[in-house]
Coordinates of all heavy atoms in Angstrom, one line a residue:
M1 N 123.6 99.5 71.7 CA 122.5 99.1 72.4 C 121.3 98.9 71.3 O 121.2 99.7 70.4 CB 122.1 100.1 73.4 CG 121.9 99.6 74.7 SD 122.0 101.0 75.8 CE 120.7 100.8 76.9
P2 N 120.5 97.8 71.5 CA 119.4 97.6 70.5 C 118.4 98.7 70.7 O 118.2 99.4 71.6 CB 118.9 96.3 70.8 CG 119.3 96.0 72.2 CD 120.6 96.8 72.4
D3 N 117.7 98.9 69.5 CA 116.6 99.9 69.6 C 115.4 99.5 70.4 O 114.7 98.4 70.0 CB 116.2 100.2 68.1 CG 115.2 101.3 68.0 OD1 115.1 102.1 69.0 OD2 114.6 101.5 67.0
M4 N 115.1 100.1 71.5 CA 114.0 99.6 72.5 C 112.7 100.0 71.9 O 111.6 99.3 72.2 CB 114.2 100.2 73.8 CG 115.5 99.7 74.5 SD 115.6 97.9 74.8 CE 114.5 97.9 76.1
S5 N 112.5 101.0 71.1 CA 111.2 101.4 70.6 C 110.6 100.4 69.7 O 109.4 100.2 69.7 CB 111.3 102.8 70.0 OG 112.2 102.7 68.8
A6 N 111.4 99.7 68.9 CA 110.9 98.7 68.1 C 110.3 97.5 68.9 O 109.1 97.1 68.6 CB 111.9 98.2 67.2
S7 N 111.0 97.1 69.9 CA 110.4 96.0 70.7 C 109.2 96.4 71.5 O 108.3 95.7 71.8 CB 111.5 95.4 71.6 OG 112.0 96.5 72.5
V8 N 109.2 97.7 72.0 CA 108.0 98.2 72.7 C 106.8 98.3 71.8 O 105.7 97.9 72.2 CB 108.4 99.6 73.4 CG1 107.1 100.3 73.9 CG2 109.4 99.4 74.5
S9 N 107.0 98.8 70.6 CA 105.9 98.9 69.7 C 105.3 97.6 69.3 O 104.1 97.3 69.2 CB 106.2 99.7 68.5 OG 107.2 99.1 67.8
L10 N 106.3 96.6 69.2 CA 105.8 95.2 68.9 C 105.0 94.6 70.1 O 104.0 94.0 69.9 CB 107.1 94.3 68.6 CG 106.8 92.8 68.2 CD1 106.0 92.8 66.9 CD2 108.0 92.2 68.0
A11 N 105.4 94.8 71.3 CA 104.8 94.3 72.4 C 103.4 95.0 72.5 O 102.4 94.3 73.0 CB 105.6 94.6 73.7
M12 N 103.3 96.3 72.3 CA 102.1 97.0 72.4 C 101.0 96.5 71.4 O 99.9 96.5 71.7 CB 102.4 98.5 72.3 CG 102.9 99.1 73.5 SD 102.1 98.8 75.0 CE 100.6 99.8 74.8
T13 N 101.5 96.1 70.1 CA 100.6 95.7 69.1 C 100.0 94.4 69.5 O 98.8 94.1 69.2 CB 101.3 95.5 67.8 OG1 102.3 94.7 67.9 CG2 101.6 96.9 67.2
H14 N 100.6 93.6 70.4 CA 100.1 92.3 70.8 C 99.2 92.5 72.0 O 98.4 91.7 72.3 CB 101.3 91.3 71.1 CG 102.0 90.8 69.9 ND1 101.4 90.0 69.0 CD2 103.3 91.1 69.4 CE1 102.3 89.8 68.0 NE2 103.4 90.4 68.3
L15 N 99.4 93.5 72.9 CA 98.7 93.7 74.1 C 97.4 94.4 73.9 O 96.5 94.3 74.7 CB 99.6 94.2 75.2 CG 100.8 93.5 75.7 CD1 101.6 94.2 76.7 CD2 100.2 92.1 76.3
V16 N 97.5 95.3 72.9 CA 96.3 96.2 72.7 C 95.0 95.4 72.5 O 93.9 95.7 73.0 CB 96.5 97.3 71.7 CG1 95.3 98.1 71.3 CG2 97.6 98.3 72.2
P17 N 95.1 94.4 71.6 CA 93.8 93.6 71.5 C 93.3 92.9 72.7 O 92.1 92.9 72.9 CB 94.2 92.5 70.3 CG 95.4 93.2 69.6 CD 96.1 94.0 70.7
L18 N 94.2 92.5 73.5 CA 93.8 91.9 74.8 C 93.1 93.0 75.7 O 92.2 92.6 76.4 CB 95.0 91.3 75.5 CG 95.6 90.1 74.8 CD1 96.9 89.7 75.6 CD2 94.7 88.9 74.7
A19 N 93.5 94.1 75.7 CA 93.0 95.1 76.5 C 91.5 95.5 76.0 O 90.7 96.0 76.9 CB 93.8 96.4 76.6
K20 N 91.3 95.4 74.8 CA 90.0 95.8 74.3 C 88.9 94.8 74.7 O 87.7 95.1 74.7 CB 90.0 95.9 72.8 CG 90.8 97.1 72.3 CD 90.7 97.2 70.7 CE 91.6 98.4 70.3 NZ 91.6 98.5 68.8
E21 N 89.3 93.5 75.0 CA 88.4 92.5 75.4 C 87.9 92.6 76.8 O 86.9 92.1 77.2 CB 89.1 91.1 75.2 CG 89.4 90.8 73.8 CD 90.2 89.4 73.7 OE1 90.3 88.8 74.7 OE2 90.6 89.1 72.6
V22 N 88.6 93.3 77.6 CA 88.1 93.5 79.0 C 87.2 94.6 79.2 O 87.3 95.7 78.7 CB 89.4 93.9 79.8 CG1 89.0 94.1 81.4 CG2 90.4 92.8 79.9
D23 N 86.0 94.3 79.7 CA 84.9 95.3 79.9 C 85.2 96.0 81.2 O 85.4 95.4 82.3 CB 83.6 94.5 80.1 CG 82.5 95.5 80.2 OD1 82.6 96.7 79.9 OD2 81.4 95.0 80.5
E24 N 85.4 97.3 81.1 CA 85.8 98.1 82.3 C 84.7 98.2 83.3 O 85.0 98.4 84.6 CB 86.1 99.6 81.8 CG 87.4 99.6 81.0 CD 87.7 101.1 80.5 OE1 87.0 102.1 81.1 OE2 88.5 101.3 79.6
N25 N 83.5 97.9 83.0 CA 82.4 97.9 84.0 C 82.4 96.7 84.9 O 81.7 96.5 85.8 CB 81.0 98.1 83.3 CG 81.0 99.5 82.6 OD1 81.5 100.4 83.1 ND2 80.2 99.5 81.5
K26 N 83.1 95.6 84.4 CA 83.0 94.3 85.1 C 84.2 94.0 85.9 O 84.3 93.0 86.5 CB 82.7 93.2 84.1 CG 81.4 93.2 83.5 CD 81.2 92.1 82.6 CE 79.7 92.0 82.0 NZ 79.5 90.9 81.1
V27 N 85.2 94.9 85.9 CA 86.5 94.7 86.5 C 86.2 95.1 88.1 O 86.0 96.2 88.3 CB 87.6 95.4 85.9 CG1 88.9 95.2 86.7 CG2 87.8 94.9 84.5
T28 N 86.5 94.1 89.0 CA 86.2 94.4 90.4 C 87.4 93.6 91.1 O 88.0 92.7 90.5 CB 85.0 93.9 91.0 OG1 84.9 92.4 90.8 CG2 83.8 94.6 90.2
P29 N 87.7 94.1 92.3 CA 88.8 93.4 93.1 C 88.4 91.9 93.4 O 89.2 91.1 93.5 CB 89.0 94.2 94.3 CG 88.0 95.2 94.3 CD 87.2 95.3 93.1
G30 N 87.2 91.7 93.6 CA 86.6 90.4 93.8 C 87.0 89.8 95.2 O 87.4 90.4 96.1
V31 N 86.8 88.5 95.3 CA 87.0 87.7 96.6 C 88.6 87.8 96.9 O 88.9 87.9 98.1 CB 86.5 86.4 96.4 CG1 86.8 85.5 97.7 CG2 85.0 86.3 96.2
L32 N 89.4 87.6 95.9 CA 90.9 87.6 96.2 C 91.3 88.9 96.7 O 92.0 89.0 97.7 CB 91.6 87.2 94.9 CG 93.1 87.2 95.1 CD1 93.5 86.1 96.1 CD2 93.8 87.0 93.8
G33 N 90.8 90.0 96.2 CA 91.2 91.3 96.7 C 90.7 91.5 98.2 O 91.3 92.1 99.1
F34 N 89.5 90.9 98.5 CA 88.9 91.1 99.8 C 89.8 90.3 100.8 O 90.1 90.6 101.9 CB 87.5 90.6 99.9 CG 87.0 90.5 101.3 CD1 86.7 91.7 102.1 CD2 86.8 89.4 102.0 CE1 86.2 91.7 103.3 CE2 86.3 89.3 103.3 CZ 86.0 90.5 104.0
I35 N 90.2 89.1 100.4 CA 91.0 88.2 101.3 C 92.4 88.8 101.5 O 92.9 88.8 102.6 CB 91.2 86.7 100.6 CG1 89.8 86.0 100.6 CG2 92.2 86.0 101.3 CD1 89.8 84.8 99.8
V36 N 92.9 89.3 100.4 CA 94.3 89.9 100.7 C 94.1 91.2 101.7 O 95.0 91.4 102.6 CB 94.9 90.5 99.4 CG1 96.1 91.4 99.6 CG2 95.3 89.2 98.5
F37 N 93.1 92.0 101.5 CA 92.9 93.2 102.3 C 92.6 92.8 103.7 O 93.1 93.4 104.7 CB 91.7 94.0 101.8 CG 91.5 95.2 102.6 CD1 92.2 96.4 102.5 CD2 90.3 95.3 103.6 CE1 92.0 97.5 103.2 CE2 90.1 96.4 104.4 CZ 90.9 97.5 104.2
A38 N 91.8 91.7 103.9 CA 91.5 91.2 105.3 C 92.8 90.7 106.0 O 92.9 90.8 107.2 CB 90.4 90.1 105.2
A39 N 93.6 89.9 105.2 CA 94.9 89.4 105.7 C 95.8 90.5 106.2 O 96.4 90.3 107.2 CB 95.5 88.5 104.8
M40 N 95.8 91.5 105.4 CA 96.8 92.7 105.7 C 96.1 93.4 107.0 O 96.9 93.9 107.8 CB 96.8 93.7 104.6 CG 97.9 93.1 103.5 SD 97.9 94.1 102.0 CE 97.6 95.7 102.4
A41 N 94.8 93.6 107.1 CA 94.2 94.2 108.2 C 94.6 93.3 109.5 O 94.8 93.9 110.6 CB 92.7 94.3 108.0
L42 N 94.4 92.0 109.4 CA 94.7 91.2 110.6 C 96.1 91.3 111.0 O 96.5 91.2 112.2 CB 94.3 89.7 110.2 CG 92.7 89.4 110.3 CD1 92.5 88.0 109.9 CD2 92.2 89.7 111.7
A43 N 97.0 91.3 109.9 CA 98.5 91.4 110.3 C 98.8 92.8 111.0 O 99.5 92.8 112.0 CB 99.3 91.3 109.0
V44 N 98.2 93.9 110.5 CA 98.4 95.2 111.2 C 97.9 95.2 112.6 O 98.5 95.6 113.5 CB 97.8 96.3 110.4 CG1 97.7 97.6 111.1 CG2 98.6 96.5 109.0
W45 N 96.7 94.6 112.8 CA 96.1 94.4 114.2 C 97.0 93.7 115.1 O 97.3 94.1 116.2 CB 94.7 93.9 114.0 CG 94.0 93.7 115.4 CD1 93.4 94.6 116.1 CD2 93.9 92.4 116.2 NE1 93.0 94.1 117.3 CE2 93.3 92.8 117.3 CE3 94.3 91.1 115.8 CZ2 93.0 91.7 118.3 CZ3 94.0 90.2 116.8 CH2 93.5 90.6 117.9
G46 N 97.5 92.6 114.6 CA 98.4 91.7 115.4 C 99.7 92.4 115.7 O 100.1 92.4 116.9
L47 N 100.3 93.1 114.7 CA 101.4 93.9 115.0 C 101.3 95.0 116.0 O 102.1 95.3 116.9 CB 102.1 94.5 113.7 CG 102.7 93.5 112.7 CD1 103.0 94.1 111.4 CD2 104.0 92.9 113.4
M48 N 100.1 95.7 115.9 CA 99.9 96.8 116.9 C 99.7 96.2 118.2 O 100.1 96.9 119.3 CB 98.6 97.6 116.4 CG 98.8 98.4 115.0 SD 99.9 99.7 115.3 CE 99.1 100.8 116.4
K49 N 99.0 95.1 118.4 CA 98.7 94.4 119.7 C 100.1 94.1 120.3 O 100.4 94.2 121.5 CB 97.9 93.2 119.6 CG 97.4 92.7 120.9 CD 96.3 91.7 120.6 CE 96.0 91.1 121.9 NZ 94.8 90.1 121.8
S50 N 101.0 93.5 119.5 CA 102.3 93.0 119.9 C 103.2 94.3 120.4 O 103.8 94.3 121.4 CB 103.0 92.3 118.9 OG 104.3 92.0 119.3
M51 N 103.0 95.4 119.5 CA 103.8 96.6 119.9 C 103.4 97.2 121.2 O 104.2 97.6 122.0 CB 103.7 97.6 118.8 CG 104.5 98.8 119.0 SD 104.3 100.1 117.8 CE 102.6 100.6 118.3
N52 N 102.0 97.2 121.4 CA 101.5 97.7 122.7 C 101.9 96.9 123.8 O 102.3 97.5 124.8 CB 100.0 97.8 122.5 CG 99.3 98.6 123.6 OD1 99.9 99.4 124.2 ND2 98.0 98.5 123.8
R53 N 102.0 95.6 123.7 CA 102.5 94.7 124.8 C 103.9 95.0 125.1 O 104.4 95.1 126.3 CB 102.2 93.3 124.4 CG 102.4 92.3 125.5 CD 102.1 90.8 125.2 NE 101.0 90.7 124.2 CZ 101.2 90.1 123.0 NH1 102.4 89.6 122.7 NH2 100.3 90.0 122.2
H54 N 104.8 95.1 124.1 CA 106.2 95.4 124.3 C 106.5 96.8 124.8 O 107.4 96.9 125.6 CB 107.0 95.1 123.0 CG 107.1 93.7 122.6 ND1 108.0 92.8 123.2 CD2 106.6 93.0 121.6 CE1 107.9 91.6 122.7 NE2 106.9 91.7 121.7
M55 N 105.7 97.7 124.4 CA 105.9 99.1 124.9 C 105.5 99.2 126.4 O 106.1 100.0 127.1 CB 105.1 100.1 124.1 CG 105.6 100.3 122.7 SD 107.3 101.0 122.7 CE 107.0 102.6 123.3
G56 N 104.6 98.2 126.8 CA 104.2 98.3 128.2 C 105.4 97.7 129.2 O 105.5 98.1 130.3
K57 N 106.2 96.9 128.5 CA 107.4 96.4 129.3 C 108.5 97.4 129.4 O 109.5 97.1 130.2 CB 107.9 95.1 128.6 CG 106.9 94.0 128.7 CD 107.4 92.8 128.0 CE 106.4 91.7 127.9 NZ 106.9 90.4 127.2
V58 N 108.6 98.3 128.6 CA 109.7 99.4 128.6 C 109.7 100.1 129.9 O 108.7 100.8 130.2 CB 109.7 100.2 127.3 CG1 110.8 101.3 127.3 CG2 109.8 99.3 126.1
K59 N 111.0 100.3 130.4 CA 111.1 101.2 131.6 C 111.7 102.4 131.1 O 112.8 102.4 130.5 CB 112.0 100.6 132.7 CG 111.3 99.3 133.3 CD 112.4 98.7 134.3 CE 111.8 97.6 134.9 NZ 112.7 96.8 135.9
F60 N 111.0 103.6 131.3 CA 111.5 104.8 130.7 C 112.6 105.5 131.7 O 113.3 106.3 131.2 CB 110.3 105.7 130.5 CG 109.5 105.3 129.3 CD1 108.4 104.6 129.5 CD2 110.0 105.5 128.0 CE1 107.6 104.2 128.4 CE2 109.3 105.1 126.9 CZ 108.1 104.4 127.1
K61 N 112.5 105.2 132.9 CA 113.5 105.8 133.9 C 114.8 104.9 134.0 O 114.5 103.7 134.3 CB 112.9 106.0 135.2 CG 111.8 107.0 135.3 CD 111.3 107.3 136.7 CE 110.3 108.4 136.7 NZ 109.8 108.6 138.0
E62 N 115.9 105.4 133.8 CA 117.0 104.6 133.9 C 117.5 104.5 135.3 O 117.4 105.4 136.0 CB 118.2 105.2 133.0 CG 118.0 105.2 131.5 CD 119.1 105.7 130.7 OE1 120.2 105.8 131.4 OE2 118.9 106.0 129.6
P63 N 118.0 103.3 135.7 CA 118.6 103.1 137.0 C 119.8 104.0 137.3 O 120.5 104.2 136.3 CB 118.7 101.7 137.2 CG 119.0 101.2 135.8 CD 118.1 102.0 135.0
A64 N 120.0 104.3 138.4 CA 121.2 105.3 138.7 C 122.5 104.3 138.5 O 122.6 103.2 138.9 CB 121.1 105.8 140.1
D65 N 123.5 105.0 137.8 CA 124.6 104.3 137.5 C 125.6 104.5 138.8 O 126.0 105.7 139.1 CB 125.3 104.9 136.2 CG 126.5 104.1 135.9 OD1 126.7 103.0 136.4 OD2 127.2 104.5 134.9
P66 N 126.0 103.5 139.5 CA 126.9 103.6 140.8 C 128.2 104.1 140.4 O 128.7 104.9 141.2 CB 126.9 102.2 141.3 CG 126.5 101.3 140.4 CD 125.6 102.0 139.4
D67 N 128.7 103.8 139.2 CA 130.1 104.3 138.8 C 130.1 105.8 138.7 O 131.0 106.5 139.0 CB 130.6 103.5 137.7 CG 130.8 102.1 137.9 OD1 131.1 101.7 139.2 OD2 130.8 101.3 137.0
A68 N 129.0 106.3 138.1 CA 129.0 107.7 137.7 C 128.7 108.5 139.1 O 129.4 109.5 139.2 CB 127.8 108.0 136.8
E69 N 128.0 107.9 140.0 CA 127.8 108.7 141.2 C 129.1 108.8 142.0 O 129.4 109.7 142.6 CB 126.7 108.0 142.1 CG 125.3 108.2 141.5 CD 124.3 107.5 142.4 OE1 124.6 106.9 143.3 OE2 123.1 107.4 141.9
A70 N 129.9 107.6 142.1 CA 131.2 107.7 142.7 C 132.1 108.7 142.1 O 132.8 109.4 142.9 CB 131.8 106.2 142.6
G71 N 132.1 108.8 140.8 CA 133.0 109.8 140.2 C 132.6 111.2 140.5 O 133.5 112.0 140.8
T72 N 131.3 111.5 140.5 CA 130.9 112.9 140.9 C 131.1 113.1 142.3 O 131.5 114.4 142.7 CB 129.4 113.1 140.5 OG1 128.6 112.2 141.3 CG2 129.2 113.0 139.1
D73 N 131.0 112.1 143.3 CA 131.3 112.4 144.7 C 132.7 112.6 144.9 O 133.1 113.6 145.7 CB 130.9 111.1 145.5 CG 129.4 110.9 145.5 OD1 128.6 111.9 145.4 OD2 129.0 109.9 145.9
A74 N 133.6 111.9 144.2 CA 135.1 112.2 144.3 C 135.4 113.6 143.8 O 136.2 114.3 144.5 CB 135.9 111.2 143.6
A75 N 134.7 114.1 142.7 CA 135.0 115.3 142.2 C 134.5 116.4 143.2 O 135.1 117.5 143.3 CB 134.4 115.5 140.8
D76 N 133.4 116.3 143.7 CA 132.8 117.1 144.7 C 133.7 117.3 145.9 O 133.9 118.4 146.5 CB 131.4 116.7 145.2 CG 130.4 116.9 144.1 OD1 130.7 117.7 143.2 OD2 129.3 116.3 144.2
R77 N 134.3 116.3 146.4 CA 135.2 116.2 147.5 C 136.5 117.0 147.2 O 137.0 117.8 148.0 CB 135.5 114.8 148.0 CG 134.4 114.2 148.9 CD 134.8 112.9 149.4 NE 134.1 111.9 148.5 CZ 134.6 110.7 148.2 NH1 135.6 110.2 148.8 NH2 133.8 109.9 147.4
K78 N 136.9 116.8 146.0 CA 138.2 117.6 145.6 C 137.9 119.1 145.5 O 138.8 119.9 145.9 CB 138.8 117.0 144.2 CG 139.4 115.6 144.4 CD 139.9 115.2 142.9 CE 140.5 113.8 143.0 NZ 140.9 113.4 141.7
A79 N 136.7 119.4 145.0 CA 136.3 120.8 144.9 C 136.2 121.5 146.2 O 136.6 122.6 146.5 CB 135.1 121.0 144.2
H80 N 135.7 120.7 147.3 CA 135.5 121.4 148.6 C 136.9 121.5 149.3 O 137.0 122.3 150.2 CB 134.6 120.3 149.4 CG 133.1 120.5 149.0 ND1 132.4 121.7 149.1 CD2 132.3 119.6 148.4 CE1 131.2 121.4 148.6 NE2 131.1 120.2 148.1
R81 N 137.9 120.6 148.9 CA 139.2 120.7 149.6 C 139.9 121.9 149.2 O 140.8 122.5 150.0 CB 140.0 119.4 149.3 CG 139.5 118.1 150.1 CD 140.3 117.1 149.7 NE 139.8 115.8 150.2 CZ 140.1 114.6 149.8 NH1 141.1 114.4 149.0 NH2 139.4 113.5 150.2
S82 N 139.8 122.3 148.0 CA 140.6 123.4 147.4 C 140.1 124.7 147.7 O 139.3 125.1 148.5 CB 140.9 123.3 146.0 OG 139.7 122.8 145.1

């Protein structure tokens, strides 16, 4: 395997001068950051609204299963006969 430390140190020597040019006091998220945040907030709001609508359609009580009731009735009748 090639020596990775040599390539990393070479890459760092080229990137360090670029990092010194950036003024830390002037770095802000800017308009693009606000647009991305607003789009994500709208997406979450839309998903929550959709989830609320779908949860309203869910029936939490299951209908009675006619096959299961017939099986228990037959079992009850056999128990009473013996």
